[in-house]
Every structure is written in C-alpha cells, then in structure tokens.
Amino acid sequence: MTSVADGAPDEHEIPRLLPAGELTNFPPPERWDDWEEYDATAWPQRVRRRYRLVPTTCFNCESACGLLAYVEAETGKVRRFEGNPAHPGSRGRNCAKGPATINQMYDPERILHPLRRAGPRGSGEWERVGWEDALKDIGGRIGRAIREGRHDEIMYHVGRPGEDGFMDRVLRAWGVDGHNSHTNICSSGARTGYALWMGYDRPSADFTNARLILLLSAHLETGHYFNPHAQRIMEGKQAGAKLVTVDPRLSNTAAMSDLWLSPWPGTEAALLLAVARLLLEWDAVDHDFIRRWVNWEETLRERFPDRSLGYADFVELLVETYAPYTPVWAAEECGVEAWRIEELARGIAEAGHRFASHTWRSAGSGNLGGWQVARCLWLLHVLTGAVGTKGGTSPNAWDKFVPEHWNSPPPHSRWNELLWPAEYPFAHHEMSFLLPYFLKEGRGKVDVYFTRVYNPVWTNPDGFSWIEVLTDEDLVGLHVALTPTWSETAWYADYVLPMGVGAERHDTHSYETHAGRWLGFRQPVLRVAGERAGNQYHRTYEANPGEVWEENEFWIDLSWQIDPDGSLGIRKWFESPADPTKPVSVDEYYGWMFDNSVPGLPDKAASEGLSPLQFMRKYGAVEVDRDRYLLHEQSVDAELVGLDGIARKEGAVVGVRIDGDVVAGFLTPSKRLEWWSPTMEEWGWGEQAIPTYLRTHVHWRDLDLSGNERILVPIFRLPTLIHTRSGNAKYLYEISHGHPLWMHPRDAEALGLETGTLVRVTTETGYFVIRVWRTEGIRPGVVAASHHMGRWRLDEGSGNERWSSALANVERLEDGRWRLRQVGGIEPFTSDDPDSERIWWRDAGVHQNLAFPPHPDPVSGMHAWHQRVRITKAERGDRYGDVVVDTARSYQVYREWLRLTRPGPGPDGLRRPLWLNRPVRPTPDAYRV
Ligand code: SF4
C-alpha cells in the first residue's frame, strides 16, 4: 500500500510521520529507497505517499545542480524534483528552473517519437520513423563521408553540453574535427582575456571567504554556476564581505549590492584600469607576488629593452602605463562618479588577498574588444596577489574535476577551417555563428549537421541567414536535430530526434563552484527507480517516456552504424569489454570510470559496502577534495630546468623555478602570469598585448544621443527562463512572460514615449517592434531587453510549445527582406494537462537576435552583442513582434568585421598558438598549415 486517506485533519495538530524537526530537513539517504510523506496537494485529506528518491543532475543551465526525483512507488511517475543534499556544489538548493524539470518530462506538447521530414525542408510536414531506420540512414551517410575522406563535412553543433568528455571521445573515435559549440555567442570574450593571462580561461572565485566581491555580471540570479555561486556570495556577505556590481542595468544582483556602478556599456575596462592606477598610487599591491609570478623580466627584456632590468623598473612601467587612467578621466569616460571608483578601489585594497571577482557574458560578450575587460579585471587580482588565495580567485580548472573516460581514442589530426578559419587564430572557440557566411561564400559544405540542444536560428545573430543555409540542401546535406524540445531550428531539420531531459540521461560533469572539486552523475531516474524495483532494462529508452533516448546510447549505437563491420576502426571504441559483439553499456562505461579514475570514490563506496557505480547511483555526486588554494606554488618533480627557468620531465613542461624552488605555475609558455603577452606580439597584436582599454563598437561618444540613437543591451537573462528550453516548462512561463524594452524616464521623455508605447528599434540590418517600459533601473542612454523571449511557431498544431510561443509567419517581402510577423499570441489549449486550459498569459515576447548582424571580435572571435540602435515610434502597419531584416546587408557587415582581422598563419606556420587550448584538441601537426 502506498497511499492512505486518513480523513479530515485536526486544524491544529497534524500527526507527524517523523519526530519533530526531521521533516524540516532533507530525507536521510538511508531512507531514499522507501520514503513516505503526506501529499501536500491532497489537503485537507491526509494522504500518505511512498516514493523512491533518485538523485540526478539538473540540465536547465550550466550549473549542474543536484536534483532529487520523487518517483512514486505505486505509479512509477515522478511527482516532483527537489534539491539533492549530497551534491557538494548546490548543497540541496536549486533555482526555480530545477524543479521545473517535472514540466519538461510530462509536457503534453513534448516530442516523444523520432520524426523525419516528409516535405520540403521547413515545410512542417513530418512522419514518424523508427529509431533503427534513423540510425541506419544517418550512420550510413557519415560512414560514406569518412570512407570518401570528407571528414570535414561532419559537424556536431552543441548548445548546452551538460557533460564533460563523452562527445569529445566520440568525435576522436570518428577522427573528425567536427566539434562546434555556442561559446562564441556566449563567453569567449572573457575566456580569451583570462587565457592570455594564465592559460586557464575562467575564474573560480572563493566567494564564501572573500571580503570584497566584485561582479561584472548578474551573478546572484543568472551568472555562470549562479545558484552554487549565489549561495556562497550570500555566505560571504553574511560574514561581512562587501558586494560591488558593475552593470548598466539594475539587476537583482545590483539591487542586493553595497555599491552599484552603472558605466556606459563598453567602458568597463577603463573603470577597472582606474582602480589599478589607484592601487598602484597607494602602493596597495603585493610586490612579492608580482615579483614572483608576473613575467616582468621577460617583458622588460623582450618588449622594453631600453629600460633597465630590475623589478623596480617594472613597477615604474606599470605606474607609467596606467597613469592616464585617473578617476576623474574614468568618471568622464565611463559616466560613473569618481568617488564610486575610489570606493571600489579602497574596498579591493582593504580586502587584499580576500578579493573575489567574476565576469560572465556582460561586458566581455557585448563589445568589440570585450576580452580586454577580463584582462583588466584579472590585473586587479595580480596587483593585490588575490590569486589562488583563500577568499581570492583561482583558475577554474583547479576546482573542476574531469575523470578519464573509458577506452579513450587518441587525438585526431585534422583541422576544419569552417570552424577554425585562418582569420581568427586566437578565437577561443569555433567561429560558429559565421557558418552561414562561410557556406555562402563557398568555403565548404556540411554533409551531416547535428544540432544538439541548440537553436541557432533563434539564438545566434541573424537567424534568417541560418534559415537560408539550412534550407539549401547543397550547403547542408542532412540536418539532424537532437533535442528534448521543439525549437525554431528543429523546424528546418530532416530528422528531429527526441532526447532525454536532465532526468532521463547519463552524464558526468563538474564545475568550479567553490575551492574544491566534485563529480556529479546525471542519471535517468525512471530507469534507476525501475531497477530498484527489480525491473531490467537493456536501454534507457525502455524506461523513458515514449521513445525518448538518452544520448550516450544514441552515440554508441550510431557509431556502430557508421562502422558496422569495424573496418573503419571506429566500432572498436564502442564495443562491450565483456562481449565485443555487442555495444558497450552505460553501466560498463561509467562503472569503469568510477572504479578507475575518481580518487577516493572506491574507498568511500567500500565503506558503505557499495561498488563505486552503486555509490554514484545512490548519491548522484561525490566530493573529490576541498580547500584547494595556491596550487601554483605546489612543488613538482622535474628532470631538467632550463636557463629560462622552465622545468621539464620526460620532455613535458611541468613547472617553473621561482626563487630556487621548482613549482607548478600556470599554463602559459612562461608558466607565469603574462602581463605582456609575447604570443600576441608575435602574432601581430603588439599594441593590445597588455591589459588595456579598447574602444567598443557602441561607444557613447559615437552616438547621436541628443537624437534617437541609444545603446541596446540585449543579453541579460531572466532568472526563471532557460535560454530556448523553457518552452515546455509551464511553471516558468507562468512566472516570466513579459518582454518590455527597458528605458530610463529621461530617454522616454526625450523621445516622447510612455510605458506601453510601441516602438521600432532599428539596427544596421533591420528592426523589431516592441513596447517600452519606463524604469529608473537602467542607465540613461542605454536600453535593454532580455534575450529569452520572442519564441515562435509556424504551425498551430506542431513546432514550438504553445505555453510559450506565438503563432507567426516567416516570409520574404517584395524587396527581398525577411519578415517575422506574429499572427496570434499565447492562448489556452486543450491537452492531457488541464493546466493548458488555464493559461492566462498572452505575451510571447519579441525576437531581437534576428535583427542583429554578426560582429565577430577579431581577437577572441566572440560575437559583440551590443547594438547601436535608433528608436522611433512604430509606423503605420507595424505590429508588436514584427522583425524585418535584410540578410544581404548582414553579409556586408560580416565582411566589414572580417577586415578587422589579422589572419594567420603565425610563427612557424602555425594556424593557432600551440599553447592556447581548444575543444577536441588535435595532434600538434594539425596546427601547422
Ligand atoms: S542553477 Fe537552477 S537551472 Fe541551473 S542547474 Fe541549478 S537548479 Fe538547474
């Protein structure tokens, strides 16, 4: 018996299932196999329900928090998701998006079966297809391309990876350089800035122990790893830390801050350099750290040979370099009062080693030269010595654990110029958003194109150009959309293959949430609960809803179809170690990983009488270690130390000699922190080789602010929506379904606009029509709209979910421009879920990215999102949600920005500096032209 109705309750006294106090805590893990509690929704009846609690990992942003699925024992259905208290990163806490996983699982609009296009691409005509047929067709086509040497025509384009290493392994096994990502429309700007300093591309801030926390992001609600970080930022604040936020918009984070600085977009680096100047002026710097860890000797020797070679000369050089960045000058340039800049500098000086910071998207992703913002931010850490310290900020990789994967293939030795073109040798990730233009100008074609949890038509700039190439079968031969939800891009696929949401798949991952390391294990909760109940499954789809697959098994089975007889040498990487005539199982795959490559896990498991795999299935995560500080100072064994101080062992660089000790150092060629980057100098970017301020493409002085020009900030996230995957999460859309253009009252007055006025926002390539919201929560001269909304579907009965999308037409106007026009808002509909008839919100929002041309930064490759726009009242015939775009003009803009590049090859015929990392890194010979 799993539920009991006990009759009406006494109003004041409710019999407890557990002693007082215990229900206020998480259910104890020893009772997760059989947990009983009252059903809150049955009130006033007292109904007991029994559950199996199965841990998994949230897939609804990059934070990978732990979730605990409450699988009802009687029905086998998941009733809700809560936090997993055993997860060291999230510690039992989630944001609204985690529990909304339940909506995604049971959404009546969900894709439950594989679909194949039955008419022209984009016609919306689909037929159901069996998985086996789909795998054979796709695998056969990839196998043909590989046999014919067309490896570069296979491309896997990922939005939310949600895993560490599985797909890298697959692509290495196939021997293709086909990994494409969304990173250059997300975070490449800041990553480049960090990587040039230290070889690591992100920070890991120790917020809990900090005394001053500086955020160039809306970190409390939407930054990278924001829920795990937010809880630690609040712990730091409770312990007395000051919180400072730099953002032109009054985000929730800015509202919670001790100091909110609202500079002109794109001037953030100037503000940070003014702080650096003050720290130098006050001598509030850690000289011992700088002397030991900055490449100052190399800088003076190679770049400033006319100066003498002492440390004091380097300090003098720093002082001279940043002397022009006075607070008064910065106040004028940034539009922030000088006293606020001084207050920030004073806070950093007082915090010393306990200064933690983070920047994510925001300035680094909005501006031409945005990568320098991270360079200038890290400069403050270098000056104060708050690098790797308790309460300071470390390189991200110190606090991230990536286990070895089973039976890993060697690196491939190819270089795909559609992804890594000669013009962008420093691009931090693939030039993904330029693919339409590369295809149009004949740089190549794609024979098999996977979009995987990715929606470039909607997410990338200039989506109409994506539609143009996705509907051209000469450019894209076969488009396979692997997706848990419908998307604007899946509409233009040949196959739409339903993949599991976060509670329906296996993955491992780990992120830099604090000064420690952990490994999370995502698992299909219905399968695991079923196995606990004694059921046996051959494959995860047998337990998942409909015919929803998990990706691990998809890629394993697809690899068999590519190479059914093993002659390509691919199949061997996917054979079961127990029986090579069968594909490897997920239990074998992760069993090996947990047995062999997670330090401490076998012992922890053994102490509970479990195998490592059983332990991970029980808890969903394991802590690897904690309190990881000052790793650059760790001693290392070396066989040889060169005159340059670089230490080697078995031919590999392992560290650097500092003051007589051989220690680990950083990942740069000098193993030090590179204030001056010799690599940038050698590759022709000498004038930008130090942390400096670059003028953005949306600089306020270039705008006609007394007229109708403004800066559009289009990249802020809403805390409760999931990029393009909230469409099937009704809880989330009930919370967030408005999409106004933020505008300061001063601008609204000047332009004659009220809240609700319909305006045209005109970019270089087109315009969109949206309503104004007057608010003092934004800097005058700047307008902003969240990047989440404006979802559309082209058919009433299929395509994007009706909880979130407007019915729309996409058409070409007589003058050749494209137009998206909404023909209906969100309406209630009838489905198996009675809530669909209770929908009360109507606004699907306005899509803006379609109207943005590509702005590839010539160094980082990051798309510079901010826009210089004109704002005028809507014209006769305009409708809310209209987007009109000239893609011919977008192509011209692409060519204009391409002219800013300084193409490789660089020294020694290299396509890219060897030491700069890249995804699915090939062998070194592939780096040479
Ligand atoms: S922060 Fe929210 S959406 Fe992101 S992983 Fe955690 S619970 Fe999921």
Side-chain angles (χ1 to χ4, degrees):
M1 188 178 72
T2 55
S3 67
V4 182
D6 288 338
D10 179 308
E11 199 178 319
H12 301 292
E13 204 177 355
I14 298 175
R16 289 186 167 277
L17 296 176
L18 286 173
E22 287 196 25
L23 275 178
T24 60
N25 293 328
F26 291 99
E30 59 275 15
R31 296 190 51 194
W32 285 4
D33 264 349
D34 184 12
W35 177 250
E36 187 177 68
E37 64 180 27
Y38 288 114
D39 180 351
T41 61
W43 179 267
Q45 300 294 307
R46 283 188 224 138
V47 178
R48 297 179 195 215
R49 294 198 188 279
R50 290 174 68 180
Y51 299 94
R52 292 193 170 85
L53 309 188
V54 183
T56 188
T57 311
C58 183
F59 195 50
N60 286 342
C61 84
E62 61 282 0
S63 304
C65 300
L67 291 175
L68 206 51
Y70 281 61
V71 186
E72 192 177 17
E74 187 178 45
T75 61
K77 287 207 144 209
V78 180
R79 290 296 174 195
R80 70 176 189 276
F81 288 90
E82 294 199 352
N84 175 8
H87 190 291
S90 56
R91 304 181 294 185
R93 301 172 203 174
N94 298 109
C95 77
K97 294 178 280 189
T101 303
I102 188 92
N103 298 159
Q104 299 170 320
M105 284 187 82
Y106 296 119
D107 170 36
E109 305 264 278
R110 159 165 212 193
I111 312 166
L112 285 172
H113 307 279
L115 299 174
R116 181 165 55 198
R117 160 167 80 90
R121 239 189 236 161
S123 64
E125 294 164 54
W126 305 99
E127 61 185 10
R128 262 176 74 168
V129 62
W131 271 103
E132 208 173 311
D133 288 346
L135 284 162
K136 266 203 183 114
D137 184 21
I138 301 163
R141 191 155 178 155
I142 295 173
R144 258 194 315 282
I146 291 175
R147 282 192 178 84
E148 292 169 10
R150 294 182 286 111
H151 298 69
D152 288 353
E153 294 184 9
I154 300 159
M155 191 178 290
Y156 160 82
H157 201 163
V158 60
R160 169 64 46 229
E163 58 96 7
D164 280 327
F166 189 92
M167 270 318 292
D168 292 10
R169 181 186 176 280
V170 170
L171 293 168
R172 281 206 307 272
W174 294 1
V176 303
D177 191 24
H179 183 278
N180 201 353
S181 68
H182 75 286
T183 308
N184 273 14
I185 56 146
C186 178
S187 56
S188 283
R191 287 174 189 254
T192 300
Y194 287 114
L196 287 168
W197 259 114
M198 56 182 169
Y200 301 97
D201 68 354
R202 270 165 292 163
S204 174
D206 185 22
F207 293 121
T208 305
N209 297 301
R211 287 292 162 267
L212 186 114
I213 298 170
L214 173 59
L215 302 175
L216 280 77
S217 77
H219 228 80
L220 286 182
E221 69 262 32
T222 60
H224 234 200
Y225 319 133
F226 81 92
N227 163 45
H229 278 177
Q231 49 186 272
R232 293 174 170 90
I233 290 169
M234 296 318 288
E235 284 170 5
K237 248 177 98 63
Q238 283 168 345
K242 288 269 181 291
L243 177 59
V244 182
T245 300
V246 177
D247 193 331
R249 191 179 63 89
L250 182 66
S251 64
N252 294 356
T253 306
M256 296 289 286
S257 299
D258 299 282
L259 186 63
W260 170 39
L261 306 177
S262 175
W264 282 110
T267 64
E268 292 84 353
L271 187 149
L272 297 168
L273 292 182
V275 172
R277 184 193 188 279
L278 286 169
L279 295 175
L280 286 161
E281 183 183 318
W282 300 335
D283 200 24
V285 301
D286 183 339
H287 286 292
D288 197 46
F289 179 83
I290 299 170
R291 185 188 58 75
R292 283 170 63 77
W293 284 110
V294 173
N295 68 335
W296 60 270
E297 286 175 288
E298 179 185 39
T299 300
L300 292 173
R301 192 176 60 243
E302 306 293 335
R303 178 65 184 80
F304 299 95
D306 296 341
R307 301 182 83 108
S308 41
L309 285 178
Y311 172 71
D313 300 276
F314 179 68
V315 174
E316 204 173 281
L317 174 65
L318 288 178
V319 171
E320 279 172 26
T321 303
Y322 298 118
Y325 296 91
T326 64
V328 172
W329 175 86
E332 170 68 20
E333 179 70 7
C334 308
V336 171
E337 297 97 323
W339 69 264
R340 289 180 191 268
I341 298 172
E342 286 180 27
E343 191 169 326
L344 169 60
R346 199 160 293 112
I348 292 173
E350 285 166 8
H353 288 176
R354 292 193 161 201
F355 159 47
S357 78
H358 208 298
T359 180
W360 183 82
R361 285 171 68 92
S362 74
S365 304
N367 298 287
L368 173 66
W371 57 278
Q372 278 283 7
V373 176
R375 281 282 261 162
C376 296
L377 180 58
W378 196 247
L379 172 65
L380 305 184
H381 286 274
V382 173
L383 291 177
T384 51
V387 175
T389 50
K390 188 166 185 173
T393 303
S394 299
N396 66 314
W398 291 8
D399 298 329
K400 176 180 169 84
F401 177 74
V402 183
E404 200 183 321
H405 283 250
W406 166 76
N407 191 22
S408 270
H412 65 78
S413 53
R414 297 179 185 277
W415 194 277
N416 187 338
E417 295 196 354
L418 274 180
L419 299 167
W420 300 95
E423 291 92 340
Y424 297 93
F426 286 10
H428 198 276
H429 275 64
E430 308 87 353
M431 294 306 301
S432 58
F433 62 98
L434 297 188
L435 185 63
Y437 318 102
F438 292 165
L439 293 176
K440 281 183 182 183
E441 63 189 15
R443 295 193 186 206
K445 63 168 284 197
V446 184
D447 190 45
V448 181
Y449 179 59
F450 292 98
T451 48
R452 184 270 179 170
V453 196
Y454 193 41
N455 187 7
V457 166
W458 190 92
T459 308
N460 284 14
D462 194 26
F464 285 128
S465 285
W466 281 85
I467 293 175
E468 286 171 0
V469 296
L470 287 176
T471 48
D472 185 338
E473 291 181 41
D474 290 335
L475 298 179
V476 179
L478 183 78
H479 173 197
V480 182
L482 302 175
T483 179
T485 65
W486 270 106
S487 75
E488 287 78 359
T489 300
W491 191 256
Y492 299 98
D494 298 301
Y495 283 102
V496 178
L497 302 181
M499 291 291 150
V501 300
E504 297 164 345
R505 44 184 293 138
H506 287 93
D507 295 299
T508 52
H509 39 174
S510 170
Y511 299 110
E512 58 274 16
T513 56
H514 60 287
R517 297 188 299 175
W518 50 267
L519 182 69
F521 186 36
R522 181 176 290 132
Q523 48 183 355
V525 301
L526 294 177
R527 177 177 179 165
V528 174
E531 284 169 349
R532 283 193 204 165
N535 299 328
Q536 285 192 335
Y537 304 99
H538 174 60
R539 281 285 198 260
T540 295
Y541 65 83
E542 295 163 19
N544 275 350
E547 291 182 279
V548 171
W549 272 45
E550 72 156 281
E551 281 179 52
N552 285 180
E553 291 172 349
F554 171 78
W555 295 113
I556 291 167
D557 285 15
L558 181 64
S559 299
W560 273 65
Q561 292 295 343
I562 292 170
D563 186 19
D565 59 6
S567 59
L568 283 175
I570 291 174
R571 201 187 93 172
K572 67 181 179 190
W573 302 109
F574 302 93
E575 291 168 354
S576 160
D579 178 358
T581 64
K582 296 202 173 102
V584 62
S585 72
V586 284
D587 275 6
E588 288 173 318
Y589 192 94
Y590 291 105
W592 183 93
M593 177 190 286
F594 300 150
D595 282 348
N596 294 285
S597 65
V598 186
L601 174 57
D603 289 343
K604 278 186 184 161
S607 70
E608 295 198 24
L610 301 172
S611 72
L613 179 61
Q614 287 169 332
F615 182 96
M616 292 299 276
R617 289 221 180 278
K618 178 175 177 184
Y619 291 104
V622 65
E623 184 173 56
V624 176
D625 46 26
R626 56 174 73 175
D627 295 332
R628 289 168 62 78
Y629 300 110
L630 302 177
L631 301 194
H632 57 300
E633 295 276 12
Q634 276 186 350
S635 296
V636 293
D637 278 341
E639 291 163 350
L640 194 70
V641 180
L643 290 175
D644 54 2
I646 301 299
R648 289 181 168 76
K649 189 174 182 184
E650 294 168 9
V653 172
V654 293
V656 60
R657 184 166 55 206
I658 306 254
D659 291 346
D661 300 321
V662 178
V663 291
F666 298 91
L667 297 183
T668 52
S670 65
K671 302 295 281 178
R672 289 179 160 84
L673 296 168
E674 297 195 342
W675 178 72
W676 169 70
S677 167
T679 308
M680 290 208 78
E681 186 87 36
E682 288 165 8
W683 287 68
W685 290 94
E687 83 284 7
Q688 298 185 20
I690 62 167
T692 192
Y693 170 48
L694 303 177
R695 192 171 171 116
T696 172
H697 67 299
V698 291
H699 195 279
W700 62 276
R701 289 184 208 272
D702 298 335
L703 267 64
D704 177 14
L705 290 166
S706 58
N708 58 16
E709 279 198 311
R710 298 292 183 275
I711 301 167
L712 172 66
V713 171
I715 50 172
F716 74 88
R717 276 165 140 189
L718 298 176
T720 43
L721 293 185
I722 312 162
H723 290 303
T724 71
R725 286 183 294 123
S726 351
N728 54 3
K730 61 186 179 186
Y731 294 169
L732 302 180
Y733 266 87
E734 184 164 24
I735 299 169
S736 300
H737 49 259
H739 197 212
L741 182 74
W742 294 40
M743 182 180 289
H744 193 276
R746 218 184 291 165
D747 288 321
E749 291 296 326
L751 297 169
L753 306 172
E754 297 294 335
T755 290
T757 309
L758 214 52
V759 290
R760 265 191 189 194
V761 179
T762 302
T763 65
E764 289 163 279
T765 53
Y767 65 84
F768 57 91
V769 179
I770 192 168
R771 287 197 186 88
V772 166
W773 177 44
R774 289 168 63 130
T775 170
E776 293 188 348
I778 187 127
R779 182 186 175 83
V782 181
V783 293
S786 140
H787 87 167
H788 283 291
M789 302 202 53
R791 307 301 308 278
W792 75 80
R793 66 183 187 282
L794 300 178
D795 181 73
E796 182 54 46
S798 63
N800 273 345
E801 296 80 7
R802 285 173 283 180
W803 308 97
S804 57
S805 63
L807 187 61
N809 289 331
V810 166
E811 59 189 329
R812 263 197 130 131
L813 303 176
E814 280 177 5
D815 60 7
R817 290 181 303 164
W818 287 90
R819 183 176 70 186
L820 172 81
R821 168 158 280 184
Q822 297 185 8
V823 294
I826 296 172
E827 299 286 342
F829 61 93
T830 303
S831 73
D832 293 342
D833 182 347
D835 279 349
S836 66
E837 293 188 356
R838 301 182 184 122
I839 292 176
W840 54 271
W841 56 95
R842 297 288 177 267
D843 184 7
V846 178
H847 192 62
Q848 21 172 12
N849 298 1
L850 285 168
F852 301 161
H855 290 159
D857 182 273
V859 173
S860 67
M862 175 79 215
H863 170 60
W865 277 103
H866 292 350
Q867 304 287 320
R868 177 176 176 170
V869 296
R870 277 183 292 113
I871 296 174
T872 51
K873 284 192 180 155
E875 298 181 11
R876 182 190 294 268
D878 282 354
R879 287 199 212 157
Y880 178 74
D882 277 359
V883 192
V884 175
V885 177
D886 176 358
T887 49
R889 175 70 190 126
S890 300
Y891 182 79
Q892 285 171 357
V893 176
Y894 149 70
R895 295 293 305 180
E896 288 161 18
W897 281 66
L898 199 61
R899 282 198 281 277
L900 303 178
T901 62
R902 300 175 193 175
D908 302 327
L910 286 170
R911 301 173 192 271
R912 173 180 180 80
L914 264 172
W915 70 275
L916 281 183
N917 215 350
R918 51 151 281 189
V920 198
R921 189 182 171 94
T923 51
D925 54 302
Y927 276 67
R928 295 206 155 73
V929 175

